[in-house]
Amino acid sequence: MFDHWLEPTTKIATSAAPHSWATNISFYQGGKGSLSSKQCVLIGLDATAADAVREALYPMSWAFGDLGFTDLGNLRKTNEDFVIPLLREVMDSQLFPILIGGNPNLFYSQFQSFLNLRDLVSIALIDEQVPISMDRKKSSTKYLNHLFRHRQESVFHLSLIGAQAHFTDPAIIDWLEEQHYEYLRLGQARESLAEVEPQLRDADIIALHLDALKQSEAPGQLNPSPSGFFLEEAAQLCRYAGMSDKLRSFGIYGVDNSAKRKLAPTAQAVAQLVWYFTEGYYQRLGDYPVTNKGLTEYVVDWKGQEEKLTFWKSPRSGRWWLQVPAKTSRKQQRHRLIPCSYSDYKKAIQQELPDRLWNAFRRF
């Protein structure tokens, strides 16, 4: 089934305790085998980095019951044109890919493969930089350049989380505002991680660049710096990401495998991120609102206007959405309920609304 693209990995040597990952997941050996829809699959975009992560991950405890999880192995080649058809096949098979790699330019393959499923894509990136430059030339550090140069019309929304102002061109911030994209600085994100959850819940695909973490948390980064998220904070963001029913793929990029002494502690950090993402995935409640059926409606009068704001709350998870108060095209229909928080609802009652939600309205 995936033999053309992947080298199956051998089972990582561990103590093989009954509660460990190694004894509770499957290892792909070719053909369809035990693969079934809705399960997670691990794919190494960089064999050295992914194998190091496996060494750290598979002795960890398995706390996810009968969740299906298969290690598909590592890519035979790492060029974009080779990766895209693999990821399309994975998602067409209703599998959820977790990608581990070094070269962040492969995020384009993650994005392009999703276009096989949907025309308009919402993206969330966790990174210390805004990986875009005004000249749009292809670059390993500005890995969104190629995407925005060729496929910007397919990007419905972009949310940048954890960016640091001292790494960011002010002209790019102005451009992001013009496009009604979201730019959430590191300090703002760390003030309340729970308020970041709606942005992650809104994404079809998510990528986390290891540079978003402090160098001390993951020393084997491509561009290490002393500031960034603590590992515990990044793990919480990964858990939120995993909980989103809308999300269709998740990638961790930026592992520098050239620094051998730094690879092991970095792999341990990545393994924890994968663990907490999987915990979130296991805790999915299936309440992504394709329609508002089954949700509780809350209507807010808005500053004497005839148009009212309509919020929806899921009784299953307690999560909130705000309905776009405008007609939406058929392509935009699945984006018309905007993830938000209870605090957003309380602010609306006080006749206030965060800029994030105003920008969301403007995208329609």
Side-chain angles (χ1 to χ4, degrees), residues 226-240:
S227 53
F229 287 110
F230 286 101
L231 179 59
E232 296 85 351
E233 294 169 331
Q236 182 64 66
L237 295 178
C238 288
R239 180 175 173 272
Y240 285 146

Side-chain angles (χ1 to χ4, degrees), residues 17 27 104 115 122 184 190 200 273 310 332 335 338 343 355 359:
F27 292 82
L115 291 182
S122 288
L184 188 66
R190 294 184 63 190
L200 296 170
L273 299 180
T310 303
Q332 296 172 333
H335 299 287
I338 307 163
S343 66
D355 290 341
N359 278 332

Side-chain angles (χ1 to χ4, degrees), residues 253-316:
Y253 300 91
V255 181
D256 182 5
N257 61 28
S258 66
K260 301 302 181 184
R261 289 183 299 175
K262 298 177 181 179
L263 182 56
T266 303
Q268 290 175 354
V270 175
Q272 289 190 34
L273 299 180
V274 173
W275 196 100
Y276 282 97
F277 178 88
T278 307
E279 181 184 49
Y281 190 93
Y282 179 61
Q283 294 174 347
R284 286 186 173 189
L285 295 172
D287 63 353
Y288 169 63
V290 177
T291 69
N292 52 28
K293 184 178 180 180
L295 302 181
T296 304
E297 182 180 15
Y298 295 80
V299 178
V300 177
D301 289 322
W302 187 250
K303 297 182 179 179
Q305 302 295 317
E306 290 186 13
E307 192 70 55
K308 302 179 187 298
L309 295 180
T310 303
F311 288 82
W312 299 92
K313 179 184 178 183
S314 167
R316 300 179 65 182

Side-chain angles (χ1 to χ4, degrees), residues 3 23 26 43 50 88 124 136 144 154 186 288 299 309 313 325:
D3 305 45
T23 55
S26 302
I43 300 174
R88 282 180 174 169
R136 301 290 191 274
L144 286 189
S154 299
L186 174 65
Y288 169 63
V299 178
L309 295 180
K313 179 184 178 183

